[in-house]
Amino acid sequence: MLTFVLDPHLNTPLYQQLYHFVRREIETGRLATGERLPSKRKLSAHLNISQNTVITAYEQLVAEGYIYAEPKRGYFVSAFEAKLNQGPSQKSPGPAPQKHHVEPAYTYDFKTNTVDALDFPFPLWAKISREVLHNDDGKLLTAVEPQGYLPLRQEIADYVHRYRGVVCSPDQIVVGAGTEYLIGLIVQLLGRDKRFAVENPNYNRVYKVIQMSGAEVELSTLDDSGVIPESLETLGVDVLHLTPSHQFPLGIVMPVGRRMALLKWAEAAPGRCLIEDDYDSEYRFSGRPIPALQGLDTAGRVIYLNTFTRSLAPSMRISYMILPPALMERYKKSFGFYSSTVPRFEQHTLYKFMAAGHFERHLIRMRKLYKLRRSAILTALKSLPLAPRLSIVGTQAGLHLLVSLNGATEEAMVKAAQAANIRVYGLSEYCIRPAPALPKDVVILGYASFTPEEITQAIAKLGEAWRTL
């Protein structure tokens, strides 16, 4: 029987403590491949915890491939060690395999493209999935509408109106497998002859997707309020992709005045358009919420983009765009033959999840959780001996911070952290081209995947690594 000490006084939930314990047992080989784990009932009784705690931990281990379930038999350890430690084949050698760069494993990785997967409501999602499979029978095998499952689009329209001030009908929504796919579709819809602009720095994949779709891409200039409208006139562009709710990675929350100026720019010439990427608008921690740019648009010049990868899980490749009526008509004529890129089963499950109010409750819970983590990282940074030399910005929204250390370069901060087995990210890594107007010697710390205890430990080690800079 598995035995270890669960500490109910920690901020880390019991199921996370159990998950990490079992995972370590498997990774170190103390639980062998094929070994059967204790049943949910027996383990919950042995550790004096609820069966739901055991179920949640087991389901996460299943999702990550550490264990697998067999109906009516239980849970078993996957061939974890064999997959990692397979030696070279004894057969005659073929062509030498191509070498790929492998990012080293760090004790702490402050990456920004992640969420806390352990707090995903796995049991609830699994329950809804089973209900969908049981009740819909053969309907799940039929093709879904090209724009996406209509009940899901209705839920999305209701949600973005109530929480983001977006004005649309379900008929204006297109569901797609990831934001990159939808951006490529937008380039086709607007035309490759259009000149696009993206923010610099930015999520570099946006630039690459537009470029690979055959359109010309320019880089827009930013100030403390975001994209400068006058720079767009200088660049001679027609379309701007922007992240006004929380500019990535600078963390700028674009004020209403700047939003109105950009709308005025878009309305000033035929064919101009704004692509509003609202990717992490759910996580705003201070000040009043600012409505989406789309809700201020009265001329049909804004395409609204959002995704569930940030609010639920990165592996959930369900995104959506909301097209102005005129563009939607063009979409139906030119692209109405496209099949939906998201399986009906996943769309139906998400619809049920939203319709029952689970999505909103999940967001409320995650906001509270991430707010605690934001508080933990700010407290830890301000408690460091070198705190007087630190400058911290980007704390209003999103799941990362920007930090600079007076007297230290970006390169020195990144290298000192790596020497301590910690990964931090320099702002320059997100610049498509050098931007002289941007702040220099800044690193980015994403904190979504850490517990408050891990944040405290990681920042203490980071402070020690930076002590001599």
Side-chain angles (χ1 to χ4, degrees), residues 57 102 113 136 187 191 208 211 254 265 324 373 383 406 440 456:
V102 178
N113 61 341
D136 280 48
V187 174
K208 293 177 181 177
Q211 190 178 57
M254 184 178 287
W265 168 83
R373 295 181 184 187
S383 300
N406 186 30
K440 292 181 172 58
T456 301

Side-chain angles (χ1 to χ4, degrees), residues 111-115 203 205 248 310 314 425:
K111 56 188 175 183
T112 61
N113 61 341
T114 186
V115 298
Y203 180 56
R205 287 188 185 180
F248 183 85
R310 199 68 166 166
Y425 298 80

Side-chain angles (χ1 to χ4, degrees), residues 52-70:
N52 282 339
T53 299
V54 179
I55 291 171
T56 305
Y58 277 8
E59 290 293 340
Q60 176 63 19
L61 291 162
V62 169
E64 296 184 10
Y66 285 94
I67 65 176
Y68 62 93
E70 290 191 3

Side-chain angles (χ1 to χ4, degrees), residues 8 11 34 38 45 71 87 101 105 114 121 134 137 182 216 222 233 253 265 268-269 274 302 322 325 399 438:
N11 289 332
H101 171 72
T114 186
H134 181 266
D137 301 325
L182 292 177
E216 188 175 350
L222 306 178
E233 296 285 0
V253 179
W265 168 83
L274 299 171
V302 176
I322 300 175
L399 303 178
L438 290 178

Side-chain angles (χ1 to χ4, degrees), residues 21-39:
F21 170 74
V22 177
R23 175 175 166 173
R24 284 194 299 270
E25 294 293 290
I26 294 172
E27 290 177 339
T28 56
R30 286 189 287 267
L31 283 174
T33 298
E35 185 172 344
R36 183 175 180 175
L37 297 179
S39 70

Side-chain angles (χ1 to χ4, degrees), residues 342-382:
V342 180
R344 184 188 188 103
F345 170 68
E346 294 179 14
Q347 294 193 54
H348 199 151
T349 303
L350 179 56
Y351 152 66
K352 292 282 190 182
F353 188 76
M354 296 183 73
H358 300 308
F359 180 62
E360 293 175 17
R361 286 191 287 273
H362 174 70
L363 285 180
I364 291 171
R365 187 167 61 87
M366 296 308 291
R367 283 192 201 101
K368 292 179 180 177
L369 184 149
Y370 288 135
K371 190 172 183 178
L372 287 173
R373 295 181 184 187
R374 183 192 65 151
S375 177
I377 194 170
L378 289 174
T379 299
L381 287 167
K382 292 174 182 178

Side-chain angles (χ1 to χ4, degrees), residues 45 86 110 124 140-141 247-249 322 329 378 400 404 418 463:
Q86 283 177 344
F110 285 93
L124 179 59
L140 290 175
L141 302 179
Q247 200 282 332
F248 183 85
I322 300 175
E329 287 302 314
L378 289 174
H400 70 271
S404 58
Q418 287 178 337

